[in-house]
Amino acid sequence: MNELLQVYLSAWPTVWAMDTARYLVGATLMATILAVFWRTGLARRKLQARDPNPGQKRREILGSLRTAFIFSLLGAIVAVGDHQGWITIYKGFSQAGPLYLVLSLALMLVAHDTYFYWIHRAMHHRRLFTLFHRTHHLSRTPTPWAAYSFAVPEAMVHGAFVPLFLLFVPMHGLGLLAFGIVQILRNVMGHAGAEVHSAAFGPGRWLGWNNTTTHHDLHHEAGRYNYGLYFRFWDKLMGTEHPDYRRKFEAIVSPAAAAPASIGVGSAIARAIAGSVLVGGLFLAADPVRADDGPVGRWAAPGVAAIVELAPCSGAASLCGTIRWLWQATDDKGRPRLDSQNADTALRTRPLVGLSILSGLTRTTNGGWEGRIYNPEDGQTYRATLSRAGTDALSIEGCVLFICQKQVWRSVSVLQAALR
Ligand SMILES: [Zn+2]
Ligand SMILES: [Zn+2]
């Protein structure tokens, strides 16, 4: 026992120094890249209009240093396991060659992504969120310093991965080092706040199976989507990828986004006029509904309380619905209405306009559509079924257990016709 403690204590300072240095070097590197290339391109790739809160960086750094400490407490157990023969860490290539190193590293990354996806999704459950994950989501507009900004319980769950994985899979020492480097680099890239990936990382492109800054930034901004760490596999498979991901990534890396942002006053006014025409036009020049595409297009909820756009979710054969317009878009004080009833407190500052409320709608055998509907009035998500009620109406049924509520939405083309 004494010997084990000695092994542990002699390994710990090195593990702690490496975990801390890994974070500081990774985050500093990303912050430096952002600072150097901000004016020459990255400013135009900023993902959110809002800026990080004052004092946020300090909180993120302190939280991350605490996490590195917790990682080292768990990581030093690896040295004990190695000493006792519970796990195997290869040194040199006599027992397992370079090919094994590469394959085991790939396996470790896939396993970590899987572990992260499910743990992360579970931590978003309302009973676990406050204790485990709220600290990380205090950064709604993350910076690279947020990479390890976790509450102590969350840090312990993440730090357990490496010792657990090594119980099952022997690794090269170099493979472990590479894992540590890839992990922090992907992490600081995800929290960069401006898209640092090239267009080749776009969905459908050759590196599109990887996550991007847009992907994880949308998680911080919208919460209910994009739980993966390195890859998009699990989010695609489980239908939790943000419906707007593809559109947003492509828009941010497109040459148009990279065009000079400096606009004169004249063109600013022209843009403002074009903008207001566009906004006014949402109501009048709405997309026609194509029968063969299902209920794609804009729909008005009863009393024209809201206009919801149904469109294909990004990269998926399902439909998603987004609030595009609200009769009452502001509260009594003239502020935009927010998703204030959300169970996830981190999401309560999201504006209702632009909120995705219908997701994963797929065709049913009887010609209708089935998916999920989020009701901002009570902050709950329900099972939803949609069916056509004639050519210009849509019947929406949201069900909790056996209680179902029905609404009929009207195609905006009916409203257009009435205005003629
Ligand atoms: Zn999260
Ligand atoms: Zn994050």
Side-chain angles (χ1 to χ4, degrees):
M1 182 60 207
N2 223 353
E3 191 196 339
L4 292 191
L5 192 64
Q6 263 181 7
V7 172
Y8 182 87
L9 290 177
S10 66
W12 175 76
T14 316
V15 179
W16 174 76
M18 281 175 71
D19 278 332
T20 305
R22 192 161 61 112
Y23 163 72
L24 289 175
V25 171
T28 306
L29 188 68
M30 193 71 250
T32 309
I33 289 172
L34 288 167
V36 170
F37 296 102
W38 193 253
R39 283 173 171 276
T40 52
L42 283 178
R44 290 188 291 274
R45 285 183 167 212
K46 188 172 188 291
L47 288 157
Q48 293 183 36
R50 68 204 292 281
D51 288 318
N53 295 330
Q56 178 178 322
K57 195 169 121 180
R58 184 184 141 85
R59 178 178 53 71
E60 290 172 347
I61 293 174
L62 291 176
S64 296
L65 291 175
R66 181 181 60 197
T67 294
F69 177 73
I70 290 163
F71 280 3
S72 71
L73 292 181
L74 290 160
I77 296 174
V78 169
V80 177
D82 189 31
H83 180 265
Q84 291 297 100
W86 300 333
I87 61 170
T88 307
I89 297 177
Y90 300 127
K91 294 143 192 114
F93 290 105
S94 55
Q95 288 161 289
L99 181 65
Y100 181 83
L101 190 158
V102 173
L103 291 179
S104 61
L105 175 61
L107 177 68
M108 193 171 186
L109 290 169
V110 171
H112 190 214
D113 188 64
T114 305
Y115 179 87
F116 186 92
Y117 176 89
W118 288 104
I119 292 281
H120 185 191
R121 220 179 137 177
M123 288 190 305
H124 271 266
H125 189 278
R126 69 174 71 190
R127 288 186 198 275
L128 302 177
F129 185 80
T130 308
L131 176 65
F132 285 90
H133 199 41
R134 190 179 152 270
T135 302
H136 187 63
H137 279 279
L138 288 175
S139 305
R140 223 187 116 199
T141 307
T143 79
W145 303 99
Y148 286 166
S149 169
F150 303 130
V152 172
E154 176 166 8
M156 288 167 70
V157 173
H158 291 312
F161 172 75
V162 172
L164 283 176
F165 181 79
L166 289 170
L167 279 179
F168 300 100
V169 184
M171 289 287 292
H172 274 279
L174 279 176
L176 278 179
L177 187 71
F179 171 79
I181 294 171
V182 171
Q183 196 245 75
I184 189 65
L185 287 181
R186 298 301 293 148
N187 203 332
V188 295
M189 287 167 89
H191 292 103
E195 185 50 76
V196 293
H197 295 76
S198 73
F201 283 83
R205 302 288 295 275
W206 69 286
L207 289 170
W209 43 277
N210 287 284
N211 272 359
T212 59
T213 317
T214 307
H215 203 269
H216 192 67
D217 201 274
L218 275 169
H219 176 71
H220 278 265
E221 196 187 358
R224 288 181 301 142
Y225 302 100
N226 302 0
Y227 298 100
L229 175 61
Y230 307 112
F231 312 119
R232 293 169 57 218
F233 305 133
W234 280 110
D235 279 309
K236 294 281 285 175
L237 207 64
M238 303 311 296
T240 53
E241 187 162 81
H242 196 289
D244 243 10
Y245 169 57
R246 177 190 283 255
R247 189 200 57 75
K248 189 163 184 190
F249 179 83
E250 284 169 359
I252 208 98
V253 298
S254 73
S262 58
I263 44 169
V265 177
S267 68
I269 292 169
R271 270 190 194 204
I273 292 169
S276 59
V277 168
L278 206 71
V279 171
L282 290 183
F283 191 68
L284 298 171
D287 309 333
V289 177
R290 283 161 301 187
D292 54 333
D293 278 339
V296 167
R298 286 174 192 253
W299 296 91
V304 205
I307 289 182
V308 174
E309 181 176 30
L310 283 169
C313 312
S314 76
S318 55
L319 291 179
C320 288
T322 309
I323 298 178
R324 292 298 179 207
W325 183 87
L326 284 175
W327 184 275
Q328 213 169 0
T330 53
D331 63 12
D332 311 341
K333 296 192 173 109
R335 297 171 301 202
R337 282 174 65 198
L338 305 175
D339 185 15
S340 54
Q341 301 304 311
N342 202 303
D344 187 342
T345 47
L347 301 180
R348 291 185 184 165
T349 50
R350 299 188 300 179
L352 287 184
V353 173
L355 193 71
S356 169
I357 56 161
L358 282 155
S359 56
L361 293 166
T362 51
R363 234 179 244 283
T364 59
T365 45
N366 60 9
W369 294 74
E370 204 170 65
R372 291 182 302 276
I373 187 163
Y374 172 72
N375 180 3
E377 278 171 0
D378 62 7
Q380 302 290 325
T381 301
Y382 303 106
R383 190 162 55 82
T385 49
L386 275 67
S387 54
R388 286 257 182 202
T391 47
D392 53 23
L394 195 62
S395 163
I396 314 261
E397 211 167 333
C399 297
V400 205
L401 296 176
F402 304 109
I403 307 154
C404 296
Q405 281 203 334
K406 206 171 184 174
Q407 275 193 353
V408 173
W409 289 4
R410 305 301 299 265
S411 165
V412 294
S413 59
V414 179
L415 305 176
Q416 285 172 260
L419 289 169
R420 259 180 226 130

